[in-house]
């Protein structure tokens, strides 16, 4: 089968790779001249398989009024005259209940564990260099009540296969001394020893290099998709680009935040909206005692820290504003909060970045056949978990498109 994959971020590149491994002829298309130039470029770097609770949680709505009134809130909403923004926010609000959050967590957990297993198998065949470490993760809490709430989440996730421990402040500091800068604000943490980290851009670039060497793959980067030809009204016969038309048997939309716009050209749609996140990339010296060796998530401030080779990647915030611009005030806030937790860390050479994370209201990605055309498939909406879920999403999609036994129950991911 001739398959056109649109999007060369981590989702599109992994999709193209696993489809090509199934024996399909694949054309990978992206408007950018290089892979991993959008949400995959400088994200948080955590491969967080055991902690995949969605943003739409039961306590989020009660926190929103406080967040919206605070300038230092981890979530910021800026209303626009955009019906898509309002529709997404309404669906998000409806998903903020305990039953939906538990169901979403179960689906995400299954996909995350599949993704972990697929990535490990992939690395045995393709030894990619992307600063990959299996160093564990600490979710740090500043409030004892929230730490007690986390115990219940740990107990629930244990039923889904997660192996985690709840630590008090002393145990947390013995495991990660770099957190001493938090002082008495530290209540404790949830420790997951099996978690991993890596540079998503380097992983995507490395896998893309493998694609270039595969005889059944053509990569058409720097090529913009202009539309689709459907002579019979149902099946896509070709993908129109700014150069020529690519004849195809099937199309995969893995274009992140651009997926809904491409779908609308076919009379379809998807509940995906870009949630802007920020990151800092800070050069660090080997053995620096002020830099965490374990990946850390500051729960209340929604800041993640991941050591990736010679840099510390710091990522945070959710801006629901629909624009990709890097806002200086938000970067300054992030730096101030980082200094409060890690006062010895030199942020002078830090490189700031902002990216649009394509998210569904429930936080569960769309992986499967689209109703907009008989031979159209989606792999999009992974949100902040794009790197974590990429290999599992691609393996699930490849199995669906190749009519192979599915590696997990796909019903909750169907568009």
């Amino acid at each position: 089968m001739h398959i056109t994959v649109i999007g060369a971020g981590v989702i599109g590149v992994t999709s193209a790779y696993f489809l090509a491994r199934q024996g399909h002829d694949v054309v990978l298309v992206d408007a950018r001249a290089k892979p991993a130039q959008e949400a995959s470029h400088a994200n948080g770097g955590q491969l967080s398989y055991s902690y995949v609770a969605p943003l739409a949680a039961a306590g989020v709505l009660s926190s929103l009024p406080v967040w919206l009134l605070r300038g230092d809130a981890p979530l910021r909403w800026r209303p626009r005259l955009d019906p898509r923004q309002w529709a997404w926010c309404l669906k998000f609000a409806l998903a903020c209940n305990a039953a939906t959050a538990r169901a979403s967590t179960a689906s995400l957990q299954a996909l995350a564990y599949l993704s972990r297993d697929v990535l490990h198998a992939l690395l045995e065949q393709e030894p990619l260099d992307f600063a990959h470490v299996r160093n564990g993760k600490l979710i740090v809490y500043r409030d004892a009540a929230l730490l007690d709430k986390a115990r219940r989440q740990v107990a629930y996730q244990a039923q889904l296969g997660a192996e985690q421990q709840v630590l008090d402040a002393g145990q947390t500091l013995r495991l990660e001394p770099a957190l001493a800068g938090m002082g008495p604000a530290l209540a404790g943490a949830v420790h997951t020893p099996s978690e991993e980290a890596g540079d998503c851009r380097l992983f995507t670039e490395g896998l893309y290099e493998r694609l270039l060497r595969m005889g059944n793959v053509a990569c058409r980067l720097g090529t913009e998709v202009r539309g689709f030809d459907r002579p019979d009204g149902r099946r896509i016969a070709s993908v129109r680009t700014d150069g020529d038309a690519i004849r195809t048997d099937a199309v995969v939309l893995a274009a992140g935040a651009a997926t809904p716009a491409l779908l609308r050209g076919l009379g379809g749609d998807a509940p995906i909206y870009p949630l802007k996140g920020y990151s800092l990339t800070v050069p660090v010296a080997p053995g620096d005692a002020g830099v965490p060796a374990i990946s850390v998530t500051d729960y209340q401030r929604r800041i993640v820290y991941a050591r990736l080779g010679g840099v510390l990647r710091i990522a945070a915030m959710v801006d629901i504003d629909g624009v990709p611009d890097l806002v200086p005030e938000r970067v300054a806030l992030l730096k101030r909060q980082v200094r409060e937790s890690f006062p010895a860390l030199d942020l002078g050479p830090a490189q700031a970045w902002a990216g649009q994370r394509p998210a569904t209201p429930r936080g569960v990605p769309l992986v499967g056949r689209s109703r907009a055309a008989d031979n159209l498939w989606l792999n999009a909406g992974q949100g902040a978990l794009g790197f974590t879920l990429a290999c599992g999403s691609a393996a699930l999609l490849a199995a669906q498109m190749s009519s192979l036994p599915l590696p997990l129950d796909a019903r909750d991911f169907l568009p």
Side-chain angles (χ1 to χ4, degrees):
M1 186 161 56
H2 294 270
I3 301 173
T4 303
V5 177
I6 301 174
V10 68
I11 302 299
V13 169
T14 51
S15 297
Y17 177 83
F18 284 105
L19 286 167
R21 286 271 302 270
Q22 295 286 357
H24 301 291
D25 294 315
V26 176
V27 178
L28 178 66
V29 182
D30 195 287
R32 295 292 197 117
K34 298 179 180 180
Q37 294 300 296
E38 299 289 344
S40 303
H41 190 70
N43 62 21
Q46 290 185 346
L47 290 162
S48 184
Y49 302 114
S50 295
Y51 195 85
V52 290
L55 180 63
V60 169
L61 287 184
S62 60
S63 300
L64 277 179
V66 177
W67 284 349
L68 294 176
L69 292 173
R70 285 175 43 190
D72 61 348
L75 187 150
R76 186 181 71 164
W77 178 50
R78 290 293 180 266
R80 304 178 65 223
L81 295 176
D82 178 3
R84 296 187 58 78
Q85 184 196 54
W86 287 84
W88 190 93
C89 289
L90 175 60
K91 292 176 181 177
F92 174 79
L94 293 174
C96 290
N97 62 79
T100 300
R102 285 172 72 89
S104 299
T105 298
S107 296
L108 290 169
Q109 198 95 73
L111 185 58
Y113 288 156
L114 170 64
S115 198
R116 176 194 61 195
D117 295 344
V118 172
L119 174 64
H120 291 174
L122 168 65
L123 294 179
E124 291 180 0
Q125 299 177 342
E126 306 280 10
L128 304 175
D129 183 6
F130 59 104
H132 182 224
V133 290
R134 302 180 185 182
N135 59 344
K137 175 178 174 177
L138 285 166
I139 303 172
V140 174
Y141 291 86
R142 299 167 178 268
D143 182 275
L146 286 175
L147 183 62
D148 286 338
K149 183 179 177 181
R151 292 180 191 276
R152 297 191 291 273
Q153 181 72 16
V154 166
Y156 174 62
Q157 293 186 167
Q159 301 173 27
L160 304 175
E163 297 181 1
Q164 300 171 304
Q165 292 178 290
V166 180
L167 309 179
D168 61 26
Q171 292 170 318
T172 302
L173 287 175
R174 283 192 290 275
L175 189 62
E176 182 47 84
L179 291 168
M182 294 183 66
L186 178 63
V190 173
H191 180 221
T192 311
S194 60
E195 300 289 60
E196 307 171 18
D199 190 310
C200 183
R201 177 182 63 81
L202 293 179
F203 171 83
T204 307
E205 290 176 345
L207 199 59
Y208 176 78
E209 290 296 321
R210 301 302 192 273
L211 288 177
L212 293 176
R213 298 201 292 268
M214 297 175 75
N216 58 334
V217 178
C219 296
R220 301 271 301 273
L221 271 60
T223 301
E224 185 175 349
V225 172
R226 295 289 176 83
F228 306 91
D229 295 319
R230 286 193 296 177
D232 64 358
R234 286 304 311 164
R235 294 183 63 83
I236 299 170
S238 61
V239 178
R240 284 184 279 110
T241 74
D242 53 3
D244 58 2
I246 303 169
R247 295 192 62 80
T248 192
D249 297 318
V251 175
V252 175
L253 289 186
T259 298
L262 291 167
L263 265 176
R264 289 195 295 273
L266 293 163
D269 204 351
I272 293 173
Y273 195 79
L275 305 185
K276 183 166 59 185
Y278 297 81
S279 77
L280 301 172
T281 302
V282 186
V284 293
D288 190 333
V291 179
I294 300 174
S295 291
V296 172
T297 294
D298 186 333
Y299 180 80
Q300 270 102 319
R301 292 181 171 178
R302 302 299 198 274
I303 303 175
V304 303
Y305 301 83
R307 182 74 175 262
L308 307 175
V311 302
L312 179 68
R313 177 68 50 76
I314 305 166
M317 302 178 183
V318 174
D319 282 2
I320 309 176
D321 58 12
V323 295
D325 300 349
L326 193 153
V327 180
E329 292 80 4
R330 296 290 270 174
V331 175
L333 168 63
L334 177 56
K335 289 183 176 181
R336 185 170 73 250
Q337 291 179 330
V338 171
R339 288 191 181 100
E340 290 172 358
S341 299
F342 298 95
L345 186 62
D346 180 13
L347 296 181
Q351 293 182 327
W353 174 85
Q356 300 278 55
R357 299 173 292 204
T360 65
R362 286 182 55 213
V364 177
L366 306 176
V367 184
R369 191 192 300 270
S370 170
R371 288 173 287 183
D374 291 344
N375 58 342
L376 178 65
W377 302 75
L378 302 186
N379 191 1
Q382 282 80 2
L385 295 171
F387 192 18
T388 296
L389 301 178
C391 286
S393 298
L396 176 59
L397 178 76
Q400 290 171 317
M401 295 185 70
S402 302
S403 300
L404 297 173
L406 301 185
L408 51 72
D409 187 342
R411 287 175 292 181
D412 204 27
F413 305 103
L414 298 179

